[in-house]
Amino acid sequence: MDCVFCKIVAGEIPADIIYRDEEVIAFRDINPQAPVHLLIIPGKHIPSLADLTEAESSLVARMINIANQLAVKEGVSEGGYRLVINCGEQGGQLVPHLHMHLLGGRQLSATLG
Ligand code: AMP
Ligand code: ZN
């Protein structure tokens, strides 16, 4: 599968992985938009939020829970942070493997794009 995030999951390309369990991994974004910029992804290849089945929907709840724990570890929980999932071309999704951005460590814009 020619998917950059699947390759990170498989250890075929390097990434700064900060969390991993049987379902979810998290690593630092290669082009950070904030002092803390993490990506939280399912290990399984799900192309986008639009492809998530009802049976898989609890995975997103787990991703949010892990993001909240990582926000504490990264020291941005008290100051505040933003979780973003881009979906599809007009949603700004560039990598076609479901992922959640965790952004924090600076004042983020009040606008959402
Ligand atoms: P999106 O626009 O929501 O699809 O975001 C994709 C994100 O993946 C961008 O913030 C990229 O900087 C990030 N990214 C792409 N390739 C890598 C990589 N090999 N390692 C870490 N982050 C990556
Ligand atoms: Zn993938």
Side-chain angles (χ1 to χ4, degrees):
M1 169 107 49
D2 194 25
C3 167
V4 62
F5 287 177
C6 280
K7 286 180 179 162
I8 288 174
V9 172
E12 290 167 11
I13 64 169
D16 188 358
I17 295 171
I18 56 170
Y19 179 88
R20 181 188 278 271
D21 66 28
E22 56 290 339
E23 285 184 326
V24 175
I25 81 164
F27 51 92
R28 294 190 195 281
D29 196 291
I30 205 168
N31 182 25
Q33 305 297 306
V36 174
H37 187 172
L38 310 180
L39 297 172
I40 298 101
I41 76 168
K44 176 182 178 184
H45 182 82
I46 298 169
S48 84
L49 208 50
D51 300 295
L52 193 75
T53 66
E54 199 176 340
E56 290 165 337
S57 59
S58 63
L59 196 53
V60 175
R62 286 211 64 224
M63 287 162 63
I64 292 173
N65 197 259
I66 289 159
N68 288 340
Q69 291 172 36
L70 292 173
V72 172
K73 272 194 185 155
E74 295 285 320
V76 298
S77 189
E78 280 192 23
Y81 54 97
R82 182 172 294 168
L83 302 180
V84 177
I85 300 179
N86 297 325
C87 179
E89 192 179 344
Q90 288 202 339
Q93 184 180 4
L94 295 175
V95 176
H97 181 130
L98 176 62
H99 53 280
M100 179 182 290
H101 298 257
L102 188 164
L103 296 151
R106 68 168 170 83
Q107 181 62 53
L108 299 171
S109 154
T111 60
L112 285 174

